[in-house]
Amino acid sequence: MSWIEKDAAALTDALAAGEVTSVELTQAHLDRIAAVDGGERGVHAFLHVDAEGALTQAAESDARRAAGTPLSALDGVPIAVKDVLATTGLPTTCGSKILEGWVPPYDATVVARLKAAGLPILGKTNMDEFAMGSSTEHSAYGPTRNPWDLDRIPGGSGGGSAAAVASYEAPLALGTDTGGSIRQPGAVTGTVGVKPTYGAVSRYGLVALANSLDQVGPVTRTVLDSALLHEVIAGHDPRDSTSIDQPVPDVVAAARQGAAGDLTGVKVGVIAELAGEGWQDGVMARFRESVDAMVAAGAEVVEVSCPSFVHAMAAYYLILPAEASSNLAKFDAMRYGLRVLPEGVDSPSAEEVMRATRDAGFGDEVKRRIILGTYALSSGYYDAYYGQAQKVRTLISRDFEAAFEQVDVLLSPTAPTTAFKLGEKLDDPLAMYLNDLATIPANLAGVPGISVPCGLAEEDGLPVGLQILAPALADDRVYRVGAAAETLLTKALGGPLLDRAPTLTETGAGA
Amino acid sequence: MPDRPSDTAGVITRDEVAHLAVLARIDLDDAELDHLAPQLSVILESVASIQGVAGDDVPPTSHPMPLTNVFREDVVEPSLTAEQALSGAPEAEEQRFAVPRILGDEQ
């Protein structure tokens, strides 16, 4: 097995044992990126690759290892960062033309923590513009391709991060999850993604889509790797007033405990509302098998009803556009980003420049959501739409509370279908929105969730994800049960699911 | 379930979209309005189902975690230099953001 195929936990051991250097590891991943990311048929997970910076950081890491002063267990393990997180010295575009070439003068707290832990940053990953989408097709810089089938979507908005780890371009990546943007890409690329409890990870330096929903989290190939990364990025940050000022649960210990595959005494609930019409047969079949395997491993399973979940999508598509339309008002062509002058106007006003800039700089989906949010917040409709959505949010939280009185964790498939074809839903917003049916409730209620691979759908041979949700602050539970599910699947398959992905042909065009 | 407001049952006209675009400070040309208005109608029809779902007794949630005001010690911390703050500006002058005229002819 080559270095790029090893998981981060194995790499930390190899680095500690002196079997490999960080420079070697970082170069191996840069070579992989150069081989499979670029060109017409490349994965296109990266918007920007920082070979020089990553190798410099790797050399510094090797010097620390040699001196016996590593900064963390993950010191020297390279990582990819979603392009919605501010990085000093590296462009941060959020997949938008309006921020093309913008280089932030500060680091997001999570990025500062990666640096403080010694992880070389390989580059910035592709995403739907301002994280609005479920396929990365709304990136202004072209879509990312799913390594399982290059004609299919890698999920979104964090399809770049998921595709990067799925195609062995990076062992670790950071994503952000506002309505499923870590978990759904994880599901459709056969990788692991975690949305921590709201406030568990700092949002400082995360370019906000919807402040009350956004959360940064790990994107990896194994549950333990996610836990190792979670440990690095989580914890209180005085620069984020919504950050939780409490100790981080021991997610690494939970992942190690779960990896034994024993679920004796764990009560799991299957969410009744997340099934039925619109749910692909092969997805449901793999999901039911996973639940059966968990029962065989000692879990007790019950069906749980969360009746308000049927309104989650409507609530989400009112709350999110409302928050997004306010957040994106900052792109006013004055302080950073694009400035476009309107055509045929002498001495245009600031407002005319702002209107022309936002027309040129924003893509269709961003325009749709800004206008939708402006509508939802306008005086005549506020109570009927936005006010109702906030109340439904309360009902969804109550559903979770009632459910977690009965069970330890809740289960559902992560997404209703496997990866669809590029272009298939691009101009059908509603069809696109339905991908996040199962992941949205967790964001509305702030609870943590994980997606772990649970097999391949029979009809198309594409990955299916199992979603595990836990009560707020009980992030350790999603790691314990997630690791157990992973162990059970690996046993059933005789190896990791990702081993079944087709070998990528080298496109050789560079990133 | 209370009646939905009959005139707002999820349908949004092209003129309304044009007005909202002005409010949102986005120039939309005719082709964009033709394209976006019907899509916004479809989305609004779909989210309209939310009307009347929760009764008056249900409090709204604006934020998933219970929060109180957060304060910090009133001490000076390092911040961006003027040069850093202006580093991404489309135009800068004398350590300030340079902007187009902000007043109309009639003002």
Side-chain angles (χ1 to χ4, degrees), chain A residues 42-212:
Chain A
V43 175
H44 194 226
F46 283 85
L47 291 178
H48 181 82
V49 178
D50 183 25
E52 199 185 320
L55 287 169
T56 303
Q57 294 154 29
E60 289 165 5
S61 171
D62 288 334
R64 287 190 295 270
R65 291 266 179 200
T69 55
L71 295 168
S72 73
L74 287 174
D75 195 334
V77 179
I79 188 167
V81 174
K82 191 178 179 184
D83 206 31
V84 73
L85 294 160
T87 43
T88 313
L90 295 185
T92 300
T93 69
C94 301
S96 181
K97 286 286 177 198
I98 213 162
L99 276 178
E100 188 163 19
W102 181 59
V103 179
Y106 68 104
D107 278 329
T109 294
V110 288
V111 171
R113 288 190 181 176
L114 295 182
K115 291 180 177 175
L119 286 81
I121 294 173
L122 295 166
K124 305 297 289 290
T125 57
N126 198 12
M127 55 185 284
D128 288 292
E129 185 174 5
F130 289 109
M132 298 184 192
S134 308
S135 70
T136 70
E137 291 168 293
H138 294 308
S139 168
Y141 305 99
T144 298
R145 296 171 179 277
N146 191 323
W148 287 80
D149 177 347
L150 295 170
D151 291 319
R152 290 179 188 266
I153 61 109
S157 65
S161 285
V165 299
S167 60
Y168 305 101
E169 294 177 325
L172 302 168
L174 286 185
T176 61
D177 191 312
T178 304
S181 291
I182 289 175
R183 290 163 287 159
Q184 180 256 8
V188 300
T189 58
T191 57
V192 176
V194 180
K195 182 201 93 71
T197 296
Y198 180 84
V201 179
S202 169
R203 291 184 298 109
Y204 178 78
L206 156 61
V207 180
L209 167 55
N211 310 59
S212 78

Side-chain angles (χ1 to χ4, degrees), chain A residues 119-393:
Chain A
L119 286 81
I121 294 173
L122 295 166
K124 305 297 289 290
T125 57
N126 198 12
M127 55 185 284
D128 288 292
E129 185 174 5
F130 289 109
M132 298 184 192
S134 308
S135 70
T136 70
E137 291 168 293
H138 294 308
S139 168
Y141 305 99
T144 298
R145 296 171 179 277
N146 191 323
W148 287 80
D149 177 347
L150 295 170
D151 291 319
R152 290 179 188 266
I153 61 109
S157 65
S161 285
V165 299
S167 60
Y168 305 101
E169 294 177 325
L172 302 168
L174 286 185
T176 61
D177 191 312
T178 304
S181 291
I182 289 175
R183 290 163 287 159
Q184 180 256 8
V188 300
T189 58
T191 57
V192 176
V194 180
K195 182 201 93 71
T197 296
Y198 180 84
V201 179
S202 169
R203 291 184 298 109
Y204 178 78
L206 156 61
V207 180
L209 167 55
N211 310 59
S212 78
L213 304 164
D214 295 341
Q215 190 55 208
V216 182
V219 173
T220 64
R221 291 191 293 266
T222 72
V223 176
L224 177 60
D225 283 1
S226 274
L228 291 166
L229 183 52
H230 187 118
E231 204 172 45
V232 169
I233 59 172
H236 182 241
D237 177 16
R239 286 179 159 165
D240 173 2
S241 61
T242 59
S243 165
I244 296 168
D245 194 1
Q246 281 187 41
V248 180
D250 195 343
V251 292
V252 173
R256 291 193 197 281
Q257 181 195 2
D262 180 14
L263 287 169
T264 307
V266 177
K267 274 188 98 168
V268 303
V270 173
I271 303 171
E273 283 75 12
L274 298 179
E277 200 191 328
W279 292 79
Q280 191 177 320
D281 289 343
V283 168
M284 294 313 295
R286 290 291 96 86
F287 172 67
R288 279 190 296 267
E289 275 174 23
S290 293
V291 175
D292 291 346
M294 291 165 90
V295 171
E300 185 187 332
V301 62
V302 291
E303 189 176 271
V304 173
S305 176
C306 295
S308 296
F309 280 21
V310 296
H311 302 296
M313 208 182 83
Y316 179 83
Y317 278 102
L318 289 163
I319 290 169
L320 179 136
E323 293 189 21
S325 65
S326 308
N327 278 322
L328 298 185
K330 65 174 162 275
F331 295 102
D332 57 6
M334 303 299 147
R335 293 159 297 163
Y336 36 70
L338 190 68
R339 176 181 287 180
V340 172
L341 303 179
E343 275 176 48
V345 182
D346 290 333
S347 179
S349 68
E351 187 184 317
E352 286 167 331
V353 171
M354 186 174 170
R355 288 210 307 255
T357 301
R358 288 159 67 83
D359 180 37
F362 289 145
D364 275 359
E365 181 62 13
V366 175
K367 288 173 181 171
R368 277 193 284 265
R369 294 205 199 180
I370 288 177
I371 289 173
L372 195 60
T374 307
Y375 177 85
L377 291 174
S378 52
S379 59
Y381 307 105
Y382 185 93
D383 288 339
Y385 287 108
Y386 186 66
Q388 269 295 310
Q390 287 190 309
K391 288 182 175 188
V392 167
R393 198 168 179 178

Side-chain angles (χ1 to χ4, degrees), chain A residues 177-181 183 194-199 212-215 271 274 306 308-309 312-313 316 393 396-397 399-400 404 410 412 414 436-451 467-473 478, chain B residues 61 63-65:
Chain A
D177 191 312
T178 304
S181 291
R183 290 163 287 159
V194 180
K195 182 201 93 71
T197 296
Y198 180 84
S212 78
L213 304 164
D214 295 341
Q215 190 55 208
I271 303 171
L274 298 179
C306 295
S308 296
F309 280 21
M313 208 182 83
Y316 179 83
R393 198 168 179 178
I396 286 163
S397 292
D399 279 357
F400 272 117
F404 288 130
L410 289 167
S412 77
T414 307
D436 299 330
L437 209 58
T439 43
I440 279 171
N443 299 82
L444 290 170
V447 305
I450 192 172
S451 180
Q467 177 177 239
I468 301 158
L469 302 169
L473 305 175
V478 304
Chain B
T61 297
H63 196 274
M65 304 295 280

